[in-house]
Amino acid sequence: MSGLAIILMGVSGTGKSSLGQAAAQALNLKFIDGDDLHPRANILKMAQGLPLNDTDRQPWLERINDAAFSIVQKNEVGIIVCSALKKAYRDRIRQGNDKLRFIYLEGDFAVIAKRLAARQGHFMGQAMLQSQFEALEPPHGEPDVLTVAIAGEFNEVLMRLETALYSILPKNAQKQVT
């Protein structure tokens, strides 16, 4: 099999983790939640309601980069959830990873704020959403990025995501999915 790492990106509240996990399960792909790759200091900072800065994110981006590299080196196909808000972050993840694609979960502030208000048990609170939108550099025009709109019900968005994933899966991985 030919390996491929797919970064599922977007601001908090777009459904990266839940959609990514559901799509990975449906398509028999590896799944890694990038939140699990944050260093302890980042987790503690976010738990206090403080946004991360670029310096905080560097070790996390390194871990995301390494996870993507590992997936490809093992000839696996996997989804890694990572906000990847800035082009510099995406470029850091791209370094040394030639079999990498991004899928941008795109939604407007009002829809995402409503979803965050209903969510529990996650260290990203609604108050930090504004800082994420301020940091966001949408990946429009980046050739290795597909965009999936998050408007609509979960299953509708999941179907759009699965369609996007299927369009980029290596041919030998598609046979396993069908």
Side-chain angles (χ1 to χ4, degrees), residues 49-85:
L50 301 171
L52 300 178
N53 60 38
D54 287 350
T55 302
D56 296 328
R57 287 188 179 95
Q58 288 311 308
W60 178 59
L61 294 170
E62 184 75 26
R63 289 176 174 187
I64 299 290
N65 176 280
D66 288 346
F69 182 80
S70 176
I71 286 170
V72 172
Q73 289 302 302
K74 294 187 287 184
N75 288 318
E76 296 175 333
V77 178
I79 296 171
I80 303 172
V81 170
C82 171
S83 55
L85 297 176

Side-chain angles (χ1 to χ4, degrees), residues 7 16 23 25 27 35 43 46 55 57 68 72 79 87 92 95 112 116 121 125 128 134 142 144 146 149 152 159 172:
I7 307 297
K16 294 182 302 290
Q25 184 174 4
L27 301 178
D35 283 347
I43 294 168
M46 289 185 289
T55 302
R57 287 188 179 95
V72 172
I79 296 171
K87 185 175 184 308
R92 176 62 195 100
Q95 289 177 0
I112 297 168
L116 280 175
M128 290 171 32
E134 289 168 4
E142 294 176 36
D144 59 352
L146 296 174
M159 194 166 11
N172 52 355

Side-chain angles (χ1 to χ4, degrees), residues 33-169:
D33 192 327
D35 283 347
D36 295 337
L37 300 177
H38 272 292
R40 179 186 309 246
N42 289 6
I43 294 168
L44 293 172
K45 187 171 183 177
M46 289 185 289
Q48 295 174 351
L50 301 171
L52 300 178
N53 60 38
D54 287 350
T55 302
D56 296 328
R57 287 188 179 95
Q58 288 311 308
W60 178 59
L61 294 170
E62 184 75 26
R63 289 176 174 187
I64 299 290
N65 176 280
D66 288 346
F69 182 80
S70 176
I71 286 170
V72 172
Q73 289 302 302
K74 294 187 287 184
N75 288 318
E76 296 175 333
V77 178
I79 296 171
I80 303 172
V81 170
C82 171
S83 55
L85 297 176
K86 295 183 180 182
K87 185 175 184 308
Y89 303 166
R90 295 186 293 277
D91 288 345
R92 176 62 195 100
I93 295 167
R94 287 178 177 114
Q95 289 177 0
N97 288 320
D98 60 343
K99 293 183 180 178
L100 179 76
R101 296 292 301 266
F102 290 83
I103 297 180
Y104 172 44
L105 295 179
E106 183 176 45
D108 67 32
F109 187 90
V111 168
I112 297 168
K114 182 177 178 182
R115 289 181 183 177
L116 280 175
R119 192 161 89 179
Q120 296 184 7
H122 191 274
F123 47 71
M124 173 62 75
Q126 184 178 353
M128 290 171 32
L129 180 60
Q130 184 62 43
S131 70
Q132 290 226 329
F133 267 92
E134 289 168 4
L136 177 64
E137 296 172 3
H140 303 301
E142 294 176 36
D144 59 352
V145 180
L146 296 174
T147 298
V148 172
I150 63 156
E153 296 299 318
F154 181 85
N155 287 335
E156 181 184 346
V157 179
L158 179 59
M159 194 166 11
R160 286 195 295 268
L161 175 58
E162 288 176 2
T163 299
L165 286 164
Y166 195 72
S167 76
I168 61 174
L169 288 177

